[in-house]
C-alpha cells in the first residue's frame, strides 16, 4: 500500500521537533494507537455484520456496547487503547487477543535478554530504561517458563538411527537446593552428535545429582528410546562409570577419551618453563602411527620425565584403554576427535550465558538458560569442517553400520 504525499503532509502538520514525532506523546505513538483501535473496530464490524454508526438488523440482538480501556506493553512503552465490545461478550479480537498485554514481540525480547544471561532484575531494569515499561518479575518468569515446554519437546524428539561421533561433556553450575536452601555444584551433561552428513546436533542435556554408571545407563536408555541405535565413536572425558554404561547400551561403540583434555591435564603438573617441551613429547605419543608405537613413546616419556613429573605417565596409563582406539583411525577422523572444536565452541556459548549468574534458584532456571544457549549455538554454522574425508573413511571402516 502506498501512502500519498498529501496524507503524509497532513499527518506531519505541527511536528517541529523530533519528540513531536517520536516522543512519548508524539505522532508515531498516537498513530499506532489509532490504527490498532481502527482495526479492532473493523474486526467487531465483521463480527456483528453492521457498520459502526448504523443500526443493527432488527432481528439481531447482539450490538455494539461501548469499549473498555486496556494498556499494551510494546517497544513504544505502554499504549492505552480502547477495545470495543459487544453486548453478548462473544467478540474475540484477533489483533489483540483477550488477556494479551504485550505486542511487538516483547516476549521474544524478554527471552533474548534472558538467553544473554540477564537476571530477572536486569531484564526489568533494561525494559524500563529502554522502553519505559514496568513489568513484574512474575510476568518475566511466565514468559521464560514457556521455554520449558519447548525444552521438553526438544529433549524428547526423535534422533537419527546412527551417529558416527557423539561427544559427551560436562560443565558445572551452581543451583540452590529446594529442600535445604543451600547452593550446590551440579553437573550439566551435554551430548553433541555428528550426523553422517557432518552436521553437529545437540542430542540432549541432563542435570545430574549423582553421576555414575546408573545415571549414565539411564541417559543411554533415553537416547535409545528416542531412536538412536548405533554410535561408531563415543568421546568422553574420563567420567566415572561412563565407558561401561556406553558399551552396555551400545556394545559395538568405540569409547575414546578426550586426547586434548588429557594433554591439558598433564600440563597442569608442569612448571611453566617446561610446558612447551612436555607438550612436544606428549605429541609424540598421540601422533604415533599405531597403538604399539604410542606405547613405546609413553615409555620413553616416562623415562625422561618420571623424576620431575611422576604423575603424568600414570595418568595416561590409567586412561590407556580409552586412548588406544584413537590409533585405529585415519588422520581425518583423528583430527576431529583430538581437537573437539565442536564441543568446545558449544561450551563457550553456554559459559558465556551462565557466567553472570552466581547461582540458579532452580534446576529449571538453569535448564532454560542452557537450552537457549544451545539454540543460539545451533543457529550458527553446524557443519564439521573437512568432513568429506572423514566420512569416506567411516564408510569404509564401518561399511555395514554406516549405511544401515
Amino acid at each position: 500500500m502506498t501512502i500519498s504525499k498529501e496524507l503524509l503532509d497532513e499527518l506531519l502538520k505541527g511536528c517541529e521537533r523530533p519528540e513531536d514525532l517520536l516522543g512519548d506523546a508524539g505522532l508515531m505513538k498516537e498513530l499506532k494507537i489509532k490504527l490498532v483501535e481502527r482495526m479492532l473496530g473493523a474486526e467487531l464490524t465483521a463480527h456483528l455484520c453492521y457498520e459502526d454508526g448504523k443500526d443493527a438488523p432488527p432481528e439481531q440482538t447482539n450490538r455494539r456496547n461501548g469499549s473498555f480501556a486496556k494498556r499494551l506493553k510494546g517497544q513504544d512503552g505502554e499504549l492505552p487503547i480502547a477495545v470495543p465490545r459487544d453486548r453478548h461478550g462473544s467478540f474475540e479480537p484477533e489483533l489483540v487477543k483477550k488477556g494479551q498485554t504485550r505486542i511487538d514481540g516483547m516476549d521474544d525480547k524478554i527471552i533474548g535478554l534472558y538467553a544473554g544471561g540477564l537476571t530477572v532484575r536486569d531484564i526489568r531494569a533494561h525494559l524500563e530504561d529502554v522502553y519505559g515499561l514496568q513489568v513484574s518479575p512474575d510476568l518475566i518468569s511466565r514468559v521464560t517458563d514457556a521455554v520449558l515446554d519447548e525444552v521438553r519437546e526438544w529433549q524428547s524428539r526423535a534422533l537419527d538411527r546412527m551417529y558416527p561421533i557423539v561427544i559427551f561433556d560436562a560443565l558445572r553450575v551452581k543451583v540452590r537446593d529446594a529442600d535445604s536452601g543451600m547452593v550446590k555444584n551440579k553437573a550439566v551433561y551435554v551430548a553433541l552428535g555428528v550426523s553422517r552428513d557432518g552436521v553437529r546436533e545437540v542430542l540432549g542435556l541432563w542435570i545430574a545429582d549423582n553421576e555414575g554408571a546408573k545415571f549414565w545407563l539411564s541417559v543411554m536408555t533415553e537416547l535409545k528410546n528416542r531412536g538412536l541405535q548405533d554410535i561408531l565413536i563415543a568421546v568422553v572425558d574420563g567420567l566415572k562409570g561412563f565407558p561401561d554404561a556406553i558399551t552396555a547400551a551400545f556394545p559395538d561403540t568405540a569409547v575414546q577419551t578426550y586426547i586434548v583434555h588429557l594433554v591439558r591435564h598433564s600440563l597442569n603438573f608442569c612448571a611453566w618453563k617446561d610446558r612447551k617441551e612436555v607438550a612436544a613429547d606428549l605429541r609424540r605419543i598421540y601422533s604415533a602411527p599405531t597403538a604399539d608405537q604410542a606405547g613405546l613413546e609413553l615409555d620413553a616419556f616416562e623415562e625422561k620425565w618420571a623424576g620431575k613429573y611422576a604423575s603424568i605417565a600414570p595418568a595416561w596409563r590409567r586412561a590407556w584403554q580409552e586412548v588406544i582406539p584413537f590409533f585405529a583411525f585415519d588422520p581425518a577422523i583423528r583430527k576431529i576427535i583430538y581437537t573437539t572444536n565442536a564441543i568446545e565452541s558449544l561450551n563457550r556459548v553456554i559459559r558465556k550465558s551462565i557466567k553472570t549468574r552466581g547461582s540458579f534458584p532452580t534446576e529449571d532456571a538453569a535448564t532454560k538458560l542452557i537450552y537457549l544457549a544451545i539454540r543460539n549455538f545451533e543457529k550458527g554454522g553446524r557443519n564439521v569442517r573437512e568432513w568429506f574425508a572423514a566420512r569416506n573413511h567411516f564408510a569404509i571402516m564401518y561399511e555395514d553400520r554406516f549405511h544401515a
Side-chain angles (χ1 to χ4, degrees), residues 44 81 272 388:
L44 182 59
I81 64 170
W272 185 260
F388 184 75

Side-chain angles (χ1 to χ4, degrees), residues 174-215:
K174 295 181 183 296
V175 180
R176 189 171 297 279
D177 185 72
D179 296 325
S180 66
M182 297 178 61
V183 174
K184 296 182 178 180
N185 273 320
K186 294 197 175 185
V188 179
Y189 296 99
V190 178
L192 178 65
V194 179
S195 74
R196 74 179 74 220
D197 295 322
V199 177
R200 298 178 298 178
E201 177 186 350
V202 180
L203 308 185
L205 69 91
W206 301 266
I207 298 180
D209 289 319
N210 299 299
E211 63 176 284
K214 186 175 181 181
F215 166 75

Side-chain angles (χ1 to χ4, degrees), residues 227-299:
L228 177 57
Q229 296 300 311
D230 195 9
I231 302 171
L232 303 185
I233 305 171
V235 186
V236 300
D237 189 18
L239 302 170
K240 184 179 178 181
F242 204 0
D244 292 339
I246 292 174
T247 53
F250 304 100
D252 296 327
T253 297
V255 180
Q256 173 68 50
T257 194
Y258 286 114
I259 299 295
V260 69
H261 286 193
L262 195 54
V263 171
R264 289 172 183 169
H265 175 73
S266 301
L267 295 179
N268 287 337
F269 295 99
C270 298
W272 185 260
K273 64 185 179 63
D274 292 330
R275 283 193 170 196
K276 187 174 181 179
E277 186 177 357
V278 170
D281 289 343
L282 289 174
R283 189 177 296 109
R284 295 173 65 89
I285 300 172
Y286 62 79
S287 61
T290 65
D292 290 340
Q293 183 63 36
L296 295 175
E297 294 293 348
L298 179 57
D299 292 339

Side-chain angles (χ1 to χ4, degrees), residues 339-383:
T339 58
T340 61
N341 284 337
I343 194 71
E344 290 181 1
S345 61
L346 171 60
N347 284 344
R348 278 195 298 272
V349 172
I350 295 175
R351 287 193 177 97
K352 183 178 179 181
S353 293
I354 66 177
K355 69 179 181 180
T356 57
R357 302 297 185 95
S359 64
F360 290 93
T362 63
E363 285 190 8
D364 280 349
T367 299
K368 285 188 295 186
L369 186 56
I370 294 169
Y371 167 74
L372 290 170
I374 290 171
R375 195 173 71 175
N376 288 338
F377 166 80
E378 292 193 331
K379 287 179 181 177
R382 296 175 59 189
N383 292 330

Side-chain angles (χ1 to χ4, degrees), residues 13 44 64 98 104-105 142 151 176 178 198 324 344 352:
K13 280 182 179 178
L44 182 59
R64 283 178 164 80
K98 287 185 176 180
D104 294 330
R142 286 198 303 272
V151 172
R176 189 171 297 279
I324 54 178
E344 290 181 1
K352 183 178 179 181

Side-chain angles (χ1 to χ4, degrees), residues 162-166 193-198 230-234 253-254 333 387 390-391 394 398 402:
M162 184 278 299
Y163 289 86
I165 300 173
V166 177
V194 179
S195 74
R196 74 179 74 220
D197 295 322
D230 195 9
I231 302 171
L232 303 185
I233 305 171
T253 297
I333 298 176
W387 177 252
R391 176 191 170 99
F394 275 122
Y398 303 96
F402 188 82

Side-chain angles (χ1 to χ4, degrees), residues 284 295-305 317:
R284 295 173 65 89
L296 295 175
E297 294 293 348
L298 179 57
D299 292 339
F301 178 92
E302 187 169 26
E303 183 177 350
K304 178 177 179 179
W305 293 103
R317 295 192 189 282

